[in-house]
Amino acid sequence: MNQTLRRTDLFWLAFTGLAALVPLVPAIAANSFIMHVLILVLLYASMAQAWNIIGGYGGQTSFGHAVFFGIGAYGAGMAVVTYGMTPWPGALVGIVSAAVVAVLISYPCFKLSGHYFAIATFAIVEIFNRMFLVWDWVGGALGLDYMIVEEGLANLMWYDSKTGYFYCALVLFALVFGIVRFLEGHRFGYYLRAVRAGQETAESLGVNSTAVKLAAMALSAALAALCGAFFVQYNLRVDPGMVMSLDTSMKFVLVTILGGAGTLAGPLLGAAVLIPLQEFTRAKWGGLGGGVDLIIFGFLIILIVIKQPAGITGIVRDIARRRGRKDASGQGGASLGSA
Amino acid sequence: MDTLLQVLLDGILNGMLYALVAVGLCLIWGVMDVINFAHGEYVMISMYVTYWLGFLANVDPLVSMFAGGLFIFILGALTYQLIIKYTVGKPPLSALLATFGLAMLLKNLCLNWFTPNYRILSDTWLGDRTFQLGAIIVPVPQLVTAVLALVMIGLVFFMVRRTRFGWAVQATAMDKEAAELMGINTERIYLLVFGIGGATVGIAGGIMPTYLAVHPEVGTMFSLIAFICVAMGGFGSIPGALVAALLVGVVEALAGYYIAPVFKYVAVFGLYLALVLLRPKGIFGW
């Protein structure tokens, strides 16, 4: 007991230490490509952490998060492009609608188990993708292109440097990780993990598993929508293929699982390894359109999944164990969704 | 009335093709509980095999589809040996994610080697041949594919139900440990099931370049449709997959013609959701 406490304390010390260093990065890295990679790492870590709530802690492997991400992105995008407002009210509407859509979708789908649930969520992404492609109000297949507006926090847009985006991404990251950290120690977090471990047992002890799962899904979707709103502000353009596609959904799942699902640090570790790899291979080999970056990326995914299904957190744990620190073996998350 | 019949015929012919693609996935899913995300990429690669055989060596797809089948048999067996074997016994998602990585790898390898250009074989035996049946036009390549699909599905079904090998496959699917205690080499069964599952899609993909353009993205939709068919049919049920695939083909054709082409997949995926919510284990599932 004492030992586990010490280990998590150590982890938190390292984590806050790193977080304290991060704001200094813009001064160090004037290189805008490195800034871009850092912003994406923070964004994907937040996206993965949002997915982690339902997919990792809740054990419900949703492949539908592209829908929620997309709704958030379209919320902010339409506020700016269609209605000429600041993105904030649009993002808020997007977040709320994503949570509502998530509950409406999940309520029937939670009855399905295993692969049936996974395929149902695939199907939902495809349906939304097609609907948005032909829906003129949201820009159809052409999508929404941002016009030039005034820089600054009010419009959440900067042109000259990426530093503003970086700080916003940092706030987003801190918010999402903070919420999940809070939930981990909160009663709700225990309920959620209990439902993952055994729904019947949890129910017999008085946990309303449906309500817990629905609440987790709504929160997860809302945070995914928030990430989507940030994404569109950074990307300055949105179309259905960009946000509401299976590939986007897979990113949520992959980053979390490669990092370590059901652990707080997993999404950050996954994003910190995967996103720089993706961006550097894309910068080095992707320009010719030959797909070399994705060949390498695909190969790495296979390698990590078959070598270490518990993700990078699992690798870290293994190294710690090999050094003889027995206490490191306790308190693991689910290696992969237990669906 | 004639239009409706024509649309229905197109849907049924397409559905038979989906069934042939789905039956391989169904076999793998039923025996190993693995969703092979690279299934559509198998279709794509097999299409390239027959396309290049036809383009470079003038072999007709009707012959070279067997080469496609053999090629994907080997590819499937390799997939099992190099990837799936290491995910057996681990949580179900790991196989899905690993094969997603494989799909990405294969798709972009083909993009790298063959460029994203659309390619279609001209001057094949079946070519653009059609014949008239009353007021309906029957396209010969699709008809041959449909007949071939029926024969192949029949063969796979017969193999699983009526041969010693098939009994061993069923035993392995029911209880791996018990099958091992009875002296069944389950590793070999898995390897062969993956290979045979690949061979059926290989043959399906092999005949397609006659009437469908090959490009690196062509497999993605086939993967999704095959998932839908197998899940709708019910866990590992071959007749279920056949019925579901026909349903998918018909619904796709009807929605594509009577609503709008862009809505055909909305209708297909909507049908899946509706059906699976009524019967959470699929039409023939238990």
Side-chain angles (χ1 to χ4, degrees):
Chain A
M1 185 61 199
N2 215 353
Q3 275 181 323
T4 17
L5 266 177
R6 219 173 52 210
R7 193 178 68 88
T8 41
D9 281 350
L10 209 72
F11 169 74
W12 272 104
L13 215 65
F15 191 74
T16 32
L18 275 175
L21 278 178
V22 165
L24 296 175
V25 171
I28 304 162
N31 183 334
S32 75
F33 179 69
I34 294 182
M35 281 301 285
H36 168 70
V37 173
L38 280 175
I39 292 168
L40 285 190
V41 167
L42 289 171
L43 172 64
Y44 277 99
S46 314
M47 284 161 63
Q49 191 67 278
W51 186 86
N52 199 17
I53 297 173
I54 187 71
Y57 293 105
Q60 303 293 317
T61 39
S62 150
F63 288 93
H65 271 57
V67 170
F68 316 134
F69 185 74
I71 290 175
Y74 270 101
M78 284 180 66
V80 175
V81 178
T82 317
Y83 296 106
M85 295 190 287
T86 65
W88 300 98
L92 194 67
V93 172
I95 290 167
V96 173
S97 3
V100 172
V101 169
V103 169
L104 290 180
I105 290 172
S106 317
Y107 183 70
C109 286
F110 278 149
K111 290 192 189 110
L112 306 173
S113 58
H115 291 328
Y116 292 94
F117 180 77
I119 293 175
T121 52
F122 282 143
I124 287 164
V125 174
E126 288 297 319
I127 290 176
F128 270 83
N129 179 295
R130 294 305 188 296
M131 300 299 273
F132 271 65
L133 270 177
V134 292
W135 194 2
D136 286 332
W137 185 55
V138 299
L142 288 174
L144 303 169
D145 259 316
Y146 273 42
M147 58 281 194
I148 293 182
V149 294
E150 203 182 326
E151 278 195 325
L153 194 62
N155 283 325
L156 202 71
M157 219 177 292
W158 291 272
Y159 299 106
D160 291 338
S161 96
K162 291 184 155 67
T163 319
Y165 283 119
F166 177 78
Y167 284 115
C168 285
L170 201 61
V171 170
L172 175 73
F173 173 81
L175 179 73
V176 177
F177 272 66
I179 289 175
V180 174
R181 170 66 196 142
F182 171 74
L183 286 181
E184 249 194 352
H186 191 264
R187 179 194 300 238
F188 179 75
Y190 285 100
Y191 282 172
L192 196 56
R193 274 170 284 180
V195 170
R196 176 187 71 196
Q199 190 164 326
E200 281 83 11
T201 322
E203 273 176 6
S204 73
L205 293 172
V207 178
N208 183 346
S209 69
T210 315
V212 167
K213 282 195 285 187
L214 281 179
M217 187 55 123
L219 178 65
S220 176
L223 292 177
L226 180 64
C227 294
F230 175 78
F231 169 80
V232 71
Q233 290 302 122
Y234 181 61
N235 199 47
L236 300 181
R237 131 155 218 93
V238 58
D239 65 56
M242 196 177 266
V243 290
M244 279 185 191
S245 64
L246 268 185
D247 283 344
T248 314
S249 273
M250 282 313 258
K251 286 259 171 65
F252 277 91
V253 185
L254 270 175
V255 171
T256 321
I257 284 184
L258 295 190
T263 62
L264 184 67
L268 178 60
L269 283 172
V273 172
L274 220 56
I275 301 307
L277 266 174
Q278 173 192 294
E279 293 302 310
F280 283 114
T281 48
R282 182 185 292 167
K284 194 157 169 49
W285 292 295
L288 301 170
V292 178
D293 53 330
L294 293 174
I295 296 175
I296 298 171
F297 200 55
F299 182 71
L300 282 170
I301 292 169
I302 300 175
L303 208 63
I304 301 182
V305 173
I306 64 177
K307 287 295 171 202
Q308 185 46 270
I312 299 161
T313 330
I315 298 177
V316 175
R317 209 182 298 148
D318 279 359
I319 294 169
R321 198 178 301 156
R322 229 165 271 158
R323 283 192 177 166
R325 279 200 243 134
K326 294 237 164 56
D327 59 315
S329 56
Q331 214 211 11
S335 52
L336 293 169
S338 48
Chain B
M1 190 61 207
D2 287 341
T3 339
L4 179 67
L5 283 178
Q6 180 74 53
V7 171
L8 281 177
L9 176 79
D10 286 348
I12 288 167
L13 292 181
N14 236 345
M16 292 305 294
L17 173 66
Y18 292 153
L20 184 52
V21 176
V23 76
L25 190 76
C26 180
L27 192 64
I28 294 169
W29 187 353
V31 176
M32 307 172 63
D33 201 14
V34 161
I35 291 192
N36 178 17
F37 220 95
H39 205 69
E41 272 59 40
Y42 287 180
V43 175
M44 183 261 299
I45 288 175
S46 171
M47 285 174 82
Y48 271 116
V49 169
T50 47
Y51 172 79
W52 286 116
L53 279 174
F55 185 77
L56 298 173
N58 251 330
V59 186
D60 197 87
L62 275 182
V63 178
S64 59
M65 67 183 186
F66 294 107
L70 183 69
F71 192 86
I72 307 296
F73 178 88
I74 296 167
L75 186 65
L78 278 177
T79 308
Y80 174 74
Q81 270 302 338
L82 299 176
I83 299 172
I84 305 298
K85 199 163 95 179
Y86 300 98
T87 65
V88 171
K90 286 177 186 160
L93 254 192
S94 43
L96 192 149
L97 286 175
T99 49
F100 175 76
L102 178 69
M104 198 185 237
L105 180 81
L106 294 175
K107 194 190 295 177
N108 287 287
L109 273 178
C110 288
L111 180 73
N112 191 274
W113 291 338
F114 307 136
T115 73
N117 292 348
Y118 281 53
R119 298 159 194 276
I120 192 158
L121 270 183
S122 45
D123 277 347
T124 52
W125 293 342
L126 298 173
D128 298 322
R129 252 176 247 198
T130 52
F131 63 84
Q132 199 84 18
L133 197 77
I136 314 171
I137 299 162
V138 184
V140 176
Q142 278 91 328
L143 185 69
V144 171
T145 311
V147 173
L148 184 80
L150 261 187
V151 172
M152 291 293 303
I153 293 166
L155 276 178
V156 171
F157 193 64
F158 174 79
M159 184 199 75
V160 173
R161 288 292 171 88
R162 290 276 180 272
T163 62
R164 278 186 75 82
F165 170 71
W167 297 334
V169 169
Q170 285 186 52
T172 312
M174 280 172 200
D175 191 334
K176 183 164 178 266
E177 271 84 44
E180 273 163 11
L181 289 173
M182 296 299 118
I184 295 170
N185 183 348
T186 53
E187 285 261 307
R188 223 192 57 168
I189 297 281
Y190 281 170
L191 181 76
L192 285 173
V193 161
F194 231 92
I196 293 167
T200 54
V201 242
I203 289 181
I207 198 167
M208 272 191 247
T210 329
Y211 61 94
L212 203 73
V214 199
H215 57 104
E217 293 284 336
V218 73
T220 313
M221 223 353 127
F222 278 109
S223 278
L224 287 176
I225 298 267
F227 295 164
I228 296 282
C229 295
V230 174
M232 208 195 282
F235 182 78
S237 158
I238 292 173
L242 178 61
V243 171
L246 286 174
L247 208 57
V248 165
V250 168
V251 166
E252 182 193 334
L254 287 177
Y257 185 80
Y258 287 103
I259 306 174
V262 72
F263 280 118
K264 60 184 186 182
Y265 293 118
V266 175
V268 167
F269 293 119
L271 171 77
Y272 168 73
L273 287 179
L275 245 168
V276 93
L277 291 176
L278 288 175
R279 286 188 63 86
K281 295 279 183 189
I283 306 172
F284 284 53
W286 60 86

Short mmCIF file of all heavy atoms in Angstrom, two decimals, chain A residues 125-167:
data_model
loop_
_atom_site.label_atom_id
_atom_site.label_comp_id
_atom_site.label_asym_id
_atom_site.label_seq_id
_atom_site.Cartn_x
_atom_site.Cartn_y
_atom_site.Cartn_z
N VAL A 125 -20.14 6.33 -37.84
CA VAL A 125 -19.21 7.30 -38.45
C VAL A 125 -19.50 7.43 -39.94
O VAL A 125 -19.58 8.53 -40.48
CB VAL A 125 -17.74 6.86 -38.23
CG1 VAL A 125 -16.81 7.79 -38.98
CG2 VAL A 125 -17.40 6.86 -36.77
N GLU A 126 -19.69 6.29 -40.63
CA GLU A 126 -19.94 6.34 -42.07
C GLU A 126 -21.24 7.08 -42.37
O GLU A 126 -21.32 7.84 -43.33
CB GLU A 126 -19.98 4.93 -42.65
CG GLU A 126 -18.62 4.26 -42.72
CD GLU A 126 -17.65 4.99 -43.65
OE1 GLU A 126 -18.08 5.44 -44.72
OE2 GLU A 126 -16.48 5.13 -43.28
N ILE A 127 -22.27 6.85 -41.53
CA ILE A 127 -23.54 7.53 -41.77
C ILE A 127 -23.37 9.05 -41.62
O ILE A 127 -23.78 9.82 -42.49
CB ILE A 127 -24.62 7.00 -40.80
CG1 ILE A 127 -24.99 5.56 -41.17
CG2 ILE A 127 -25.86 7.88 -40.84
CD1 ILE A 127 -25.95 4.91 -40.23
N PHE A 128 -22.73 9.48 -40.54
CA PHE A 128 -22.53 10.92 -40.35
C PHE A 128 -21.69 11.51 -41.47
O PHE A 128 -21.95 12.61 -41.94
CB PHE A 128 -21.87 11.19 -38.98
CG PHE A 128 -22.88 11.40 -37.89
CD1 PHE A 128 -23.44 10.31 -37.25
CD2 PHE A 128 -23.27 12.67 -37.53
CE1 PHE A 128 -24.38 10.49 -36.26
CE2 PHE A 128 -24.21 12.86 -36.52
CZ PHE A 128 -24.76 11.77 -35.90
N ASN A 129 -20.66 10.77 -41.87
CA ASN A 129 -19.80 11.25 -42.95
C ASN A 129 -20.63 11.55 -44.20
O ASN A 129 -20.53 12.62 -44.79
CB ASN A 129 -18.73 10.18 -43.21
CG ASN A 129 -17.79 10.57 -44.32
OD1 ASN A 129 -18.21 10.69 -45.46
ND2 ASN A 129 -16.54 10.78 -44.01
N ARG A 130 -21.49 10.59 -44.60
CA ARG A 130 -22.29 10.78 -45.80
C ARG A 130 -23.30 11.91 -45.63
O ARG A 130 -23.54 12.69 -46.55
CB ARG A 130 -23.03 9.50 -46.17
CG ARG A 130 -22.14 8.36 -46.57
CD ARG A 130 -21.22 8.76 -47.71
NE ARG A 130 -20.47 7.68 -48.28
CZ ARG A 130 -19.55 6.97 -47.64
NH1 ARG A 130 -19.26 7.23 -46.38
NH2 ARG A 130 -18.90 6.01 -48.24
N MET A 131 -23.91 12.00 -44.43
CA MET A 131 -24.90 13.04 -44.20
C MET A 131 -24.26 14.42 -44.33
O MET A 131 -24.80 15.32 -44.95
CB MET A 131 -25.52 12.90 -42.81
CG MET A 131 -26.23 11.60 -42.55
SD MET A 131 -27.59 11.32 -43.64
CE MET A 131 -28.86 12.17 -42.73
N PHE A 132 -23.08 14.58 -43.74
CA PHE A 132 -22.42 15.89 -43.78
C PHE A 132 -21.94 16.21 -45.19
O PHE A 132 -21.84 17.37 -45.56
CB PHE A 132 -21.27 15.93 -42.77
CG PHE A 132 -21.70 16.38 -41.40
CD1 PHE A 132 -22.58 15.62 -40.65
CD2 PHE A 132 -21.25 17.58 -40.87
CE1 PHE A 132 -23.01 16.04 -39.41
CE2 PHE A 132 -21.68 18.01 -39.62
CZ PHE A 132 -22.55 17.23 -38.88
N LEU A 133 -21.63 15.17 -45.98
CA LEU A 133 -21.17 15.40 -47.35
C LEU A 133 -22.25 16.07 -48.21
O LEU A 133 -21.93 16.83 -49.12
CB LEU A 133 -20.79 14.07 -48.01
CG LEU A 133 -19.35 13.61 -47.86
CD1 LEU A 133 -19.18 12.25 -48.51
CD2 LEU A 133 -18.39 14.59 -48.48
N VAL A 134 -23.51 15.77 -47.93
CA VAL A 134 -24.56 16.30 -48.79
C VAL A 134 -25.39 17.38 -48.09
O VAL A 134 -26.34 17.90 -48.66
CB VAL A 134 -25.53 15.19 -49.26
CG1 VAL A 134 -24.81 14.25 -50.20
CG2 VAL A 134 -26.11 14.43 -48.09
N TRP A 135 -25.01 17.75 -46.87
CA TRP A 135 -25.80 18.70 -46.10
C TRP A 135 -25.28 20.11 -46.40
O TRP A 135 -24.20 20.47 -45.93
CB TRP A 135 -25.68 18.36 -44.62
CG TRP A 135 -26.68 19.01 -43.74
CD1 TRP A 135 -27.70 19.83 -44.11
CD2 TRP A 135 -26.74 18.90 -42.31
NE1 TRP A 135 -28.41 20.22 -43.01
CE2 TRP A 135 -27.85 19.67 -41.90
CE3 TRP A 135 -25.99 18.22 -41.36
CZ2 TRP A 135 -28.19 19.79 -40.55
CZ3 TRP A 135 -26.34 18.33 -40.03
CH2 TRP A 135 -27.45 19.11 -39.63
N ASP A 136 -26.06 20.88 -47.15
CA ASP A 136 -25.57 22.20 -47.57
C ASP A 136 -25.34 23.16 -46.41
O ASP A 136 -24.43 23.97 -46.45
CB ASP A 136 -26.57 22.82 -48.56
CG ASP A 136 -26.47 22.14 -49.91
OD1 ASP A 136 -25.38 21.64 -50.21
OD2 ASP A 136 -27.48 22.11 -50.63
N TRP A 137 -26.19 23.07 -45.40
CA TRP A 137 -26.09 24.00 -44.27
C TRP A 137 -24.69 23.94 -43.62
O TRP A 137 -24.17 24.94 -43.15
CB TRP A 137 -27.16 23.65 -43.23
CG TRP A 137 -27.22 24.62 -42.09
CD1 TRP A 137 -27.38 25.97 -42.20
CD2 TRP A 137 -27.13 24.32 -40.70
NE1 TRP A 137 -27.39 26.53 -40.95
CE2 TRP A 137 -27.24 25.55 -40.01
CE3 TRP A 137 -26.98 23.15 -39.97
CZ2 TRP A 137 -27.20 25.62 -38.62
CZ3 TRP A 137 -26.94 23.22 -38.59
CH2 TRP A 137 -27.05 24.44 -37.93
N VAL A 138 -24.06 22.77 -43.62
CA VAL A 138 -22.74 22.66 -42.99
C VAL A 138 -21.62 22.72 -44.03
O VAL A 138 -20.47 22.42 -43.73
CB VAL A 138 -22.60 21.37 -42.15
CG1 VAL A 138 -23.61 21.36 -41.03
CG2 VAL A 138 -22.76 20.14 -43.01
N GLY A 139 -21.96 23.09 -45.26
CA GLY A 139 -20.90 23.27 -46.25
C GLY A 139 -20.72 22.10 -47.21
O GLY A 139 -19.90 22.19 -48.11
N GLY A 140 -21.44 21.01 -46.98
CA GLY A 140 -21.37 19.88 -47.90
C GLY A 140 -19.97 19.33 -48.07
O GLY A 140 -19.15 19.39 -47.17
N ALA A 141 -19.74 18.79 -49.27
CA ALA A 141 -18.45 18.14 -49.51
C ALA A 141 -17.31 19.14 -49.58
O ALA A 141 -16.16 18.80 -49.34
CB ALA A 141 -18.53 17.36 -50.82
N LEU A 142 -17.63 20.41 -49.91
CA LEU A 142 -16.57 21.41 -50.00
C LEU A 142 -16.03 21.78 -48.62
O LEU A 142 -14.89 22.22 -48.49
CB LEU A 142 -17.10 22.68 -50.68
CG LEU A 142 -17.35 22.56 -52.17
CD1 LEU A 142 -18.00 23.82 -52.69
CD2 LEU A 142 -16.04 22.31 -52.89
N GLY A 143 -16.86 21.64 -47.62
CA GLY A 143 -16.42 22.00 -46.27
C GLY A 143 -16.42 23.50 -46.06
O GLY A 143 -16.97 24.26 -46.86
N LEU A 144 -15.84 23.91 -44.95
CA LEU A 144 -15.81 25.32 -44.58
C LEU A 144 -14.38 25.82 -44.62
O LEU A 144 -13.48 25.20 -44.07
CB LEU A 144 -16.37 25.51 -43.16
CG LEU A 144 -17.79 25.00 -42.92
CD1 LEU A 144 -18.09 25.00 -41.43
CD2 LEU A 144 -18.79 25.85 -43.65
N ASP A 145 -14.19 26.94 -45.30
CA ASP A 145 -12.86 27.54 -45.36
C ASP A 145 -12.89 28.84 -44.58
O ASP A 145 -13.76 29.67 -44.79
CB ASP A 145 -12.50 27.83 -46.82
CG ASP A 145 -11.57 26.79 -47.37
OD1 ASP A 145 -10.61 26.44 -46.66
OD2 ASP A 145 -11.81 26.33 -48.50
N TYR A 146 -11.92 29.02 -43.70
CA TYR A 146 -11.91 30.23 -42.88
C TYR A 146 -11.49 31.43 -43.72
O TYR A 146 -10.62 31.34 -44.56
CB TYR A 146 -10.92 30.06 -41.72
CG TYR A 146 -11.54 29.41 -40.51
CD1 TYR A 146 -12.39 28.33 -40.66
CD2 TYR A 146 -11.29 29.89 -39.23
CE1 TYR A 146 -12.96 27.73 -39.58
CE2 TYR A 146 -11.86 29.31 -38.14
CZ TYR A 146 -12.70 28.22 -38.31
OH TYR A 146 -13.27 27.63 -37.22
N MET A 147 -12.17 32.58 -43.46
CA MET A 147 -11.67 33.82 -44.04
C MET A 147 -10.72 34.43 -43.01
O MET A 147 -10.60 33.96 -41.89
CB MET A 147 -12.82 34.76 -44.39
CG MET A 147 -13.71 35.15 -43.25
SD MET A 147 -14.86 33.82 -42.91
CE MET A 147 -16.03 34.63 -41.85
N ILE A 148 -10.09 35.52 -43.42
CA ILE A 148 -9.14 36.15 -42.50
C ILE A 148 -9.89 37.04 -41.52
O ILE A 148 -10.67 37.90 -41.92
CB ILE A 148 -8.09 36.95 -43.30
CG1 ILE A 148 -7.26 35.96 -44.10
CG2 ILE A 148 -7.22 37.78 -42.38
CD1 ILE A 148 -6.16 36.56 -44.91
N VAL A 149 -9.69 36.79 -40.25
CA VAL A 149 -10.29 37.65 -39.23
C VAL A 149 -9.16 38.14 -38.32
O VAL A 149 -8.00 37.77 -38.49
CB VAL A 149 -11.35 36.90 -38.39
CG1 VAL A 149 -12.53 36.53 -39.25
CG2 VAL A 149 -10.76 35.67 -37.75
N GLU A 150 -9.55 38.98 -37.38
CA GLU A 150 -8.56 39.58 -36.50
C GLU A 150 -7.90 38.53 -35.62
O GLU A 150 -8.57 37.62 -35.11
CB GLU A 150 -9.23 40.65 -35.63
CG GLU A 150 -8.27 41.68 -35.11
CD GLU A 150 -9.01 42.67 -34.21
OE1 GLU A 150 -10.20 42.95 -34.49
OE2 GLU A 150 -8.40 43.15 -33.25
N GLU A 151 -6.60 38.65 -35.44
CA GLU A 151 -5.87 37.72 -34.58
C GLU A 151 -6.29 37.91 -33.12
O GLU A 151 -6.79 38.96 -32.75
CB GLU A 151 -4.36 38.02 -34.65
CG GLU A 151 -3.65 37.42 -35.82
CD GLU A 151 -2.15 37.47 -35.60
OE1 GLU A 151 -1.63 38.42 -35.01
OE2 GLU A 151 -1.50 36.51 -36.03
N GLY A 152 -6.01 36.89 -32.33
CA GLY A 152 -6.18 37.08 -30.89
C GLY A 152 -7.02 35.99 -30.25
O GLY A 152 -7.57 35.13 -30.93
N LEU A 153 -7.11 36.09 -28.95
CA LEU A 153 -7.79 35.06 -28.18
C LEU A 153 -9.29 35.08 -28.45
O LEU A 153 -9.93 34.03 -28.45
CB LEU A 153 -7.50 35.27 -26.69
CG LEU A 153 -7.86 34.09 -25.78
CD1 LEU A 153 -7.07 32.86 -26.15
CD2 LEU A 153 -7.62 34.47 -24.32
N ALA A 154 -9.86 36.28 -28.69
CA ALA A 154 -11.30 36.38 -28.91
C ALA A 154 -11.70 35.53 -30.10
O ALA A 154 -12.69 34.80 -30.06
CB ALA A 154 -11.70 37.83 -29.13
N ASN A 155 -10.92 35.60 -31.17
CA ASN A 155 -11.21 34.79 -32.35
C ASN A 155 -10.47 33.47 -32.34
O ASN A 155 -10.62 32.66 -33.25
CB ASN A 155 -10.85 35.56 -33.61
CG ASN A 155 -11.88 36.60 -33.94
OD1 ASN A 155 -13.07 36.39 -33.71
ND2 ASN A 155 -11.43 37.74 -34.42
N LEU A 156 -9.64 33.26 -31.35
CA LEU A 156 -8.82 32.06 -31.22
C LEU A 156 -8.08 31.77 -32.52
O LEU A 156 -8.18 30.69 -33.09
CB LEU A 156 -9.70 30.86 -30.82
CG LEU A 156 -8.93 29.73 -30.14
CD1 LEU A 156 -8.50 30.14 -28.76
CD2 LEU A 156 -9.77 28.47 -30.07
N MET A 157 -7.37 32.77 -32.99
CA MET A 157 -6.70 32.61 -34.27
C MET A 157 -5.44 33.46 -34.30
O MET A 157 -5.45 34.61 -33.84
CB MET A 157 -7.64 33.04 -35.38
CG MET A 157 -7.54 32.15 -36.59
SD MET A 157 -8.70 32.65 -37.81
CE MET A 157 -10.24 32.27 -37.05
N TRP A 158 -4.38 32.85 -34.77
CA TRP A 158 -3.12 33.57 -34.91
C TRP A 158 -2.52 33.20 -36.26
O TRP A 158 -2.66 32.07 -36.72
CB TRP A 158 -2.14 33.17 -33.80
CG TRP A 158 -2.56 33.66 -32.46
CD1 TRP A 158 -2.26 34.86 -31.89
CD2 TRP A 158 -3.35 32.96 -31.49
NE1 TRP A 158 -2.83 34.97 -30.65
CE2 TRP A 158 -3.51 33.82 -30.37
CE3 TRP A 158 -3.97 31.71 -31.46
CZ2 TRP A 158 -4.22 33.45 -29.24
CZ3 TRP A 158 -4.69 31.34 -30.34
CH2 TRP A 158 -4.80 32.22 -29.25
N TYR A 159 -1.85 34.16 -36.88
CA TYR A 159 -1.28 33.88 -38.19
C TYR A 159 0.25 33.85 -38.18
O TYR A 159 0.86 33.00 -38.81
CB TYR A 159 -1.76 34.90 -39.23
CG TYR A 159 -3.24 34.89 -39.38
CD1 TYR A 159 -4.03 35.90 -38.85
CD2 TYR A 159 -3.88 33.83 -40.03
CE1 TYR A 159 -5.41 35.87 -38.97
CE2 TYR A 159 -5.25 33.79 -40.16
CZ TYR A 159 -6.01 34.81 -39.63
OH TYR A 159 -7.36 34.78 -39.75
N ASP A 160 0.85 34.80 -37.45
CA ASP A 160 2.31 34.95 -37.55
C ASP A 160 3.06 33.83 -36.85
O ASP A 160 3.94 33.20 -37.42
CB ASP A 160 2.75 36.29 -36.94
CG ASP A 160 2.26 37.43 -37.82
OD1 ASP A 160 2.00 37.16 -39.01
OD2 ASP A 160 2.12 38.55 -37.30
N SER A 161 2.71 33.60 -35.61
CA SER A 161 3.44 32.56 -34.88
C SER A 161 2.44 31.58 -34.30
O SER A 161 1.25 31.88 -34.16
CB SER A 161 4.28 33.19 -33.77
OG SER A 161 3.58 33.15 -32.55
N LYS A 162 2.95 30.42 -33.95
CA LYS A 162 2.07 29.38 -33.42
C LYS A 162 2.01 29.41 -31.90
O LYS A 162 1.38 28.56 -31.29
CB LYS A 162 2.57 28.01 -33.90
CG LYS A 162 2.40 27.78 -35.38
CD LYS A 162 2.83 26.38 -35.74
CE LYS A 162 2.19 25.84 -36.99
NZ LYS A 162 2.52 26.46 -38.22
N THR A 163 2.71 30.39 -31.28
CA THR A 163 2.81 30.39 -29.82
C THR A 163 1.44 30.46 -29.15
O THR A 163 1.19 29.76 -28.18
CB THR A 163 3.68 31.58 -29.36
OG1 THR A 163 4.79 31.68 -30.25
CG2 THR A 163 4.17 31.37 -27.96
N GLY A 164 0.55 31.29 -29.72
CA GLY A 164 -0.78 31.39 -29.13
C GLY A 164 -1.49 30.05 -29.13
O GLY A 164 -2.08 29.64 -28.12
N TYR A 165 -1.41 29.36 -30.26
CA TYR A 165 -2.02 28.03 -30.35
C TYR A 165 -1.42 27.08 -29.34
O TYR A 165 -2.10 26.26 -28.74
CB TYR A 165 -1.82 27.46 -31.76
CG TYR A 165 -2.73 28.05 -32.78
CD1 TYR A 165 -2.22 28.72 -33.88
CD2 TYR A 165 -4.11 27.91 -32.67
CE1 TYR A 165 -3.06 29.27 -34.83
CE2 TYR A 165 -4.95 28.44 -33.61
CZ TYR A 165 -4.42 29.13 -34.69
OH TYR A 165 -5.27 29.65 -35.63
N PHE A 166 -0.10 27.22 -29.18
CA PHE A 166 0.57 26.33 -28.26
C PHE A 166 0.01 26.47 -26.84
O PHE A 166 -0.31 25.48 -26.19
CB PHE A 166 2.08 26.60 -28.25
CG PHE A 166 2.81 25.76 -27.26
CD1 PHE A 166 3.10 24.43 -27.54
CD2 PHE A 166 3.18 26.27 -26.02
CE1 PHE A 166 3.74 23.65 -26.62
CE2 PHE A 166 3.84 25.49 -25.10
CZ PHE A 166 4.12 24.18 -25.40
N TYR A 167 -0.14 27.73 -26.40
CA TYR A 167 -0.67 27.92 -25.05
C TYR A 167 -2.10 27.42 -24.94
O TYR A 167 -2.49 26.83 -23.92
CB TYR A 167 -0.57 29.39 -24.63
CG TYR A 167 0.84 29.77 -24.26
CD1 TYR A 167 1.56 30.69 -25.00
CD2 TYR A 167 1.48 29.17 -23.17
CE1 TYR A 167 2.87 31.02 -24.68
CE2 TYR A 167 2.78 29.49 -22.84
CZ TYR A 167 3.47 30.41 -23.60
OH TYR A 167 4.76 30.71 -23.28
#
